[in-house]
Each structure stands twice: as C-alpha cells, then as structure tokens.
Amino acid sequence: MAHVKTWFGDIELHNDEIVRSQVLKADIDAMAQRLQREDFADFDKECRGRLREIAIKLQVVSSELEYVSVLRAVMIQSAKERIVTAFAQPDARIIQLIDGIDDIDESINLLSERLSEWCLLTSETSMPEDLLEAFVSSPSAQSPLAQEFAGSISRLCELRQEIANAIELEMRTTAPNLSTLAGELLGARLIARAGGLGSLARMPASRIQVMGASKALFKHIKYGTKPPKHGVIFQHPLVRGSHPNIRGKIARILAAKIAIAARLDFYSKRAYPELLSQLEKRVGELQTAERNPQQHEDITP
Amino acid sequence: MANCRPRSATPNNMKISRHKVAGVFLLDRQLATKGEALYGERTFDGYRLWNPRRSKLAALLMKQAQVPLAPEQIVLYLGAASGTTVSHLADIVSLVYAVEFAPRVARDLVRLSERVKNIVPLISDAAQPDYGPVVELVDLLYQDVAQPRQAEIAVKNAELFLKPRGHACIMIKARSIDVTAKPKTVYKREVKKLEELFDIESVHELEPFYKAHAAVIARLA
Ligand SMILES: C[S@@+](CC[C@H](N)C(=O)[O-])C[C@H]1O[C@@H](n2cnc3c(N)ncnc32)[C@H](O)[C@@H]1O
C-alpha cells in the first residue's frame, strides 16, 4: 500500500490501483493554502510518473492541458504568497531600504552633476556640495529653474536621511550586535550584500572581508573621493582611520568579529558588548605598533 | 495612410535556418526561438532573438548542436532567476518547472509565468526541495544555480524527479565553486561528483560567450 500526498489531494494505491482518495476539485485558493500548511512526504518515482493520469482518473481535471493550467494557477498563487512573506521579513525590509538609499544616491549624483555643469558657466566652485549650499542660501543670485533643481536635490538629501533613520531603527532590533560592531548602515549594507541576515551568518569571515565594493557610494558621489576597492567593510571608521599599512590586517580582524556578530544576531539576538571592546583593543594594539615601528623593524645586516 | 513605425519583420536578405534542436532557429547567425518578446529582446517576424551572452543555454547551443532538448519534454529548471533562459526554453519544450529562491528575481519569474502558459514557478530552495507534491517525473534536469554545493543539489533533485535514463544539463561557473582553483580543475572535480549518479556524456566550455563557465551534459545511470 502506498500513501501519496500530492498537490491535488491524498491518494492510496494498492498494486497500482487507486483504493482510496481525497482530492480537492480545482479550488485554486484551497490548493495553494494546503501546500503552505501541510507536511508532505516524498513518494516514489513510479507514482510521480503517473500524477497526470491519476488526477484525470479522479476527475480533478479533465485533460492533460487542464492539469497544467490548474497546477500553474495554484503555483502562481502560492509563489505570490511566498514572495510577500519573504519581503515581510525584517532583513528583507532592511535590504529594501538600503536599495532605496542607493537609488537616491544615484539620482543625487546625476542631478548634482547636471547642476554643477549648469553652474560652471556662472560660478567658480565645482563641488556639488558647495554649489548646493550656495543655491539654498542665496537663491536670488541664481535662475529660478536652477533653484528648483537645487531644491529637488536637497529634498532628496532629506529623504535619504529619513531612510537612514528607518534603517537604524530596524537594525537595532534585527541585528543588535552587528549594529554595535559595524554601525547600522554598514551592517545593513552587509546584510543586503549577503542577501539576508541568515546568509551573512553562514558566510565565512574571508568572504565578508571582500564582499562588494559597493556600487553607489554616497561619499564617492558627493565628495568625489575614489570609490573603495576593498569591499564594504573598508568604510568602517576603524579601517579607514588607520594607516594604510595596517588597514588590511584590521579589515581581517573586523570581518572575523562581524561574522561572529551576524551569527549571534541570527541565532539569538542577545547583545554581546564584549565584541566591540575586544575589537577596539586589538585595533589599538596594532595602531600602537604601527606608530612605534622600531619595535618591529628587522635589523638588516 | 503611410505607416511610419519601424516594422518588426524579417529583412528580405535575412536567412532563416533550423538549428539541429527542434524549436531553435538561426536568423543569419543569430539564435532565436518562436514567440513574442518577453523581456525586451529583439524580435523579427515572430522570432525572438536569444543572446548567447545573456543565457548559458544559448551559448551552449551556439557551440554544440547535440543538446538533449525535444518538443515533448518536461523540464525541471533549478536557478531560474528572472526567467530569461526559461522563457526561451518554454518555446522549445512542453513544460518547465522553474525553481528560484531569491524573492526579488522570483517576482519577475512569477510575472513571466502569468504570461507564458507552460511555465510553473516554484519559489523554493533547490537544496531542500519542498516541491515533491508538485513536480512530475521530468525528462531533463537543467541546473544553473552557481553554488559551491551545486553537484549535491543536482544529485538530490535527479534522485527525486528525473526519469530513468533522463538527461541533465548542468552549468558550472568555476568562480562560484572555487575562486582559487583553475577552471578546468573545478570542472573535473564537479564532474567527478556528478559521476556518483550520472553517466557523463560531454563537457563544453562556454567561451567566448562566458568566461570560466562550462556545461555538463549527463544521463541518469
Ligand atoms: C546564474 S543565476 C541563473 C540565471 C538563469 N538561469 C538564466 O539563464 O536566466 C543563478 C540563480 O540561482 C538561484 N539559486 C541559487 N541557489 C539556489 C537554490 N539553492 N535554490 C533555488 N535557487 C537558487 C539564484 O538566486 C540565482 O537567481
């Protein structure tokens, strides 16, 4: 006797004959819901090869064509539900917010470039930042259209700030340790890069260290600095604020701590403030060593 | 009244020929399948151009005529992404079960399934298949997940869903499996893992369309 649980109902087979069955008749919603709710065991290939035939025999559908069309409708319905659920997870919200920031940065970048080109005709300054200030503070000096333009950019900057605030809030509850260690925004970026907190928690530190030389970095855009070549964690103040000689080392230590923080956040969410103090201690030691190089210098023959 | 819109028709001098695989065509030297445009690809007279730099299957078809595809086939496709390749495959075979777990690309895949009658979308992790109650026995297992554990995933899915002596077409992106090893070494290692369950029929590198990618064509032993 074989018990077969399929998407259209439960069937019992004996010597290839259907002896009992309980099927749902083309009720798409009910079928999709049942797939989400119940547990299904695997069944053997013999039955798997007969699914269409069984569904037709039990009059769930009247033809192979209808088998495919009903199944497809059920799976589209169920796929939509799964996607909605996936997007409702806190880390999915964080990823969306980070994407929002990236989009805004890209727009600000484009608009600022346009504005600065526009203004090079009349003004000496070329930094979009200064221009924006000049516009907002002395509007009368500029044409009304350019003012409007500058106004839009500064509204985008405000929106960016609002999104950043929302990310901070989400991050503190979803990933407290990562937030403490990396900062909310950098932490969020790491989650987004990894494709979720769970994926980040499963990642080895070596991957985290080189993850994503992020595409639309605000700094790069706004201040014209070089885009970072070494992955997102180079944005961390402890890395950036250190002498180039030891940045690589610090990035490695930081990545290792971030890997631990992500695991703690994913599996328990308990806060471990020691992580940060350990990190700061190690980095402090390295920085001291870097400042007093004589302790390290080889005595060359 | 004169019609000024550019016509989407085959220019007179374009030569249409059949690829060895039924359902696949060559417009001059460009690969195509029959149907309406679905993701912004160019069309000519009912043919959708299929760019071998955007689809590994197209790259394989450009390099190798003997791909086990046929009109009556049912295919289980792991790693569908937004469905670029799936959409062409659906023009060639009878039904595609398309598995994808990343919600963002899955959204596009679902939209595609709503337009194309022979694509069934499955939002699931192919490493932990929960589509057991849904998927029939399939003729072909196609995999493009770009994952270190992809051989294991292929074996598991073939054990559950591939019909006896059914075919598998498995794409390998060397860099997703081991960044440090030479691509050829990676292919060899992956083939070795697949031999656990499959007879390997052929291995094709996808240069110049894809760097450090290969396709393995295999058959359930
Ligand atoms: C290289 S892309 C596929 C491109 C697609 N085959 C095409 O040609 O249009 C790999 C896809 O596999 C998906 N993927 C990776 N591992 C997976 C798994 N275990 N289950 C389901 N999908 C997976 C990824 O989310 C990604 O969208």
Side-chain angles (χ1 to χ4, degrees):
Chain A
M1 190 89 85
H3 218 96
V4 183
K5 256 184 116 164
T6 75
W7 64 277
F8 56 82
D10 299 351
I11 297 120
E12 249 169 62
L13 293 162
H14 189 62
N15 296 337
D16 287 352
E17 290 295 317
I18 302 168
V19 288
R20 247 193 22 216
S21 67
Q22 190 181 6
V23 294
L24 295 107
K25 295 265 151 87
D27 180 347
I28 309 287
D29 283 338
M31 285 170 158
Q33 271 173 26
R34 176 167 162 279
L35 279 177
Q36 306 295 11
R37 227 180 25 236
E38 292 184 21
D39 282 331
F40 292 84
D42 286 324
F43 45 87
D44 62 46
K45 283 192 172 176
E46 192 87 33
C47 302
R48 197 170 289 291
R50 294 181 56 202
L51 286 179
R52 288 187 192 205
E53 172 211 323
I54 293 172
I56 294 171
K57 201 170 268 171
L58 295 173
Q59 294 176 349
V60 179
V61 292
S62 57
S63 66
E64 296 209 7
L65 215 59
E66 198 191 350
Y67 179 90
V68 171
S69 81
V70 174
L71 173 58
R72 176 170 148 267
V74 172
M75 295 324 289
I76 286 175
Q77 171 86 1
S78 144
K80 284 181 176 167
E81 279 164 26
R82 285 197 175 185
I83 291 171
V84 168
T85 319
F87 277 116
Q89 301 299 316
D91 52 353
R93 274 202 307 275
I94 289 169
I95 295 174
Q96 249 176 354
L97 288 167
I98 278 285
D99 283 351
I101 283 205
D102 287 346
D103 289 346
I104 290 180
D105 285 351
E106 217 166 290
S107 313
I108 293 179
N109 182 27
L110 272 174
L111 295 178
S112 305
E113 266 172 25
R114 173 63 43 228
L115 185 64
S116 73
E117 256 169 51
W118 210 330
C119 297
L120 276 178
L121 302 172
T122 56
S123 150
E124 308 282 88
T125 41
S126 60
M127 297 292 265
E129 179 70 352
D130 302 342
L131 271 178
L132 200 54
E133 240 159 63
F135 267 109
V136 179
S137 55
S138 62
S140 55
Q142 314 291 346
S143 79
L145 258 181
Q147 274 171 43
E148 277 293 320
F149 213 90
S152 303
I153 298 175
S154 74
R155 275 193 296 282
L156 277 178
C157 291
E158 282 163 25
L159 178 59
R160 185 186 199 278
Q161 190 53 50
E162 272 175 48
I163 299 180
N165 293 345
I167 291 178
E168 281 179 25
L169 262 175
E170 291 270 5
M171 278 295 288
R172 267 184 239 135
T173 45
T174 308
N177 289 299
L178 187 58
S179 298
T180 311
L181 208 64
E184 287 86 357
L185 274 182
L186 178 52
R189 216 169 267 290
L190 288 167
I191 291 178
R193 281 271 151 194
L197 183 57
S199 327
L200 186 63
R202 283 187 288 271
M203 234 176 232
S206 56
R207 277 269 306 276
I208 295 177
Q209 193 188 332
V210 297
M211 200 160 52
S214 175
K215 49 168 183 166
L217 276 175
F218 195 59
K219 284 280 159 159
H220 161 53
I221 291 156
K222 209 172 165 193
Y223 301 112
T225 56
K226 277 191 193 157
K229 292 202 179 78
H230 305 282
V232 231
I233 69 167
F234 266 69
Q235 293 168 53
H236 194 283
L238 281 180
V239 181
R240 255 202 341 234
S242 296
H243 193 276
N245 287 346
I246 53 170
R247 276 186 196 160
K249 249 186 208 159
I250 294 179
R252 199 156 59 238
I253 299 165
L254 177 62
K257 293 288 177 208
I258 285 177
I260 298 170
R263 281 166 219 165
L264 288 171
D265 286 338
F266 185 64
Y267 295 108
S268 79
K269 298 219 191 306
R270 228 182 87 201
Y272 281 86
E274 308 88 274
L275 273 182
L276 182 61
S277 47
Q278 285 166 2
L279 174 70
E280 285 171 342
K281 184 155 164 274
R282 280 290 286 131
V283 172
E285 286 164 9
L286 279 172
Q287 282 170 338
T288 318
E290 173 61 28
R291 262 181 245 116
N292 307 306
Q294 67 278 10
Q295 292 170 7
H296 284 292
E297 233 154 37
D298 286 337
I299 303 163
T300 32
Chain B
M1 204 162 70
N3 187 351
C4 303
R5 281 175 43 218
R7 287 198 310 148
S8 145
T10 328
N12 289 334
N13 52 0
M14 193 178 311
K15 192 171 155 273
I16 301 177
S17 52
R18 289 178 183 278
H19 188 279
K20 281 239 173 66
V21 171
V24 181
F25 301 87
L26 286 156
L27 274 56
D28 286 342
R29 308 219 48 216
Q30 304 178 82
L31 214 59
T33 57
K34 265 195 158 161
E36 284 170 38
L38 288 166
Y39 55 85
E41 74 280 23
R42 291 209 299 154
T43 57
F44 284 107
D45 215 5
Y47 293 93
R48 314 166 52 210
L49 293 191
W50 189 5
N51 186 342
R53 292 178 195 280
R54 288 191 63 182
S55 165
K56 283 154 228 164
L57 181 56
L60 177 63
L61 286 162
M62 288 295 278
K63 297 205 60 172
Q64 163 68 17
Q66 245 61 50
V67 181
L69 295 171
E72 67 286 349
Q73 276 179 347
I74 299 176
V75 180
L76 175 58
Y77 190 124
L78 310 178
S82 53
T84 308
T85 301
V86 170
S87 73
H88 287 282
L89 191 56
D91 291 337
I92 304 170
V93 302
S94 83
L95 183 61
V96 184
Y97 289 98
V99 181
E100 173 57 55
F101 71 175
R104 257 184 291 188
V105 281
R107 227 168 10 187
D108 295 333
L109 178 66
V110 172
R111 250 176 245 143
L112 177 72
S113 324
E114 284 176 314
R115 292 184 61 186
V116 181
K117 304 239 173 311
N118 60 342
I119 299 175
V120 176
L122 303 168
I123 311 308
S124 297
D125 182 355
Q128 275 139 34
D130 62 352
Y131 34 84
V134 174
V135 176
E136 306 163 82
L137 219 51
V138 301
D139 305 287
L140 173 70
L141 175 71
Y142 184 100
Q143 184 190 52
D144 182 12
V145 290
Q147 275 242 4
R149 291 174 51 227
Q150 65 176 55
E152 209 180 299
I153 296 175
V155 166
K156 192 179 219 169
N157 279 271
E159 275 171 343
L160 285 169
F161 304 107
L162 189 56
K163 112 182 346 169
R165 295 302 283 153
H167 276 99
C169 178
I170 289 163
M171 300 298 172
I172 302 175
K173 177 181 178 186
R175 288 191 49 111
S176 324
I177 291 168
D178 186 341
V179 253
T180 57
K182 286 209 189 94
K184 285 214 163 65
T185 317
V186 176
Y187 307 151
K188 276 202 194 110
R189 271 192 249 150
E190 290 303 296
V191 162
K192 184 120 207 170
K193 290 185 218 163
L194 293 170
E195 275 171 347
E196 183 191 313
L197 191 72
F198 297 100
D199 295 334
I200 307 298
E201 294 197 330
S202 54
V203 180
H204 310 274
E205 294 188 69
L206 300 182
E207 309 265 358
F209 307 111
Y210 283 87
K211 277 226 166 69
H213 281 70
V216 178
I217 296 177
R219 202 157 180 193
L220 202 55

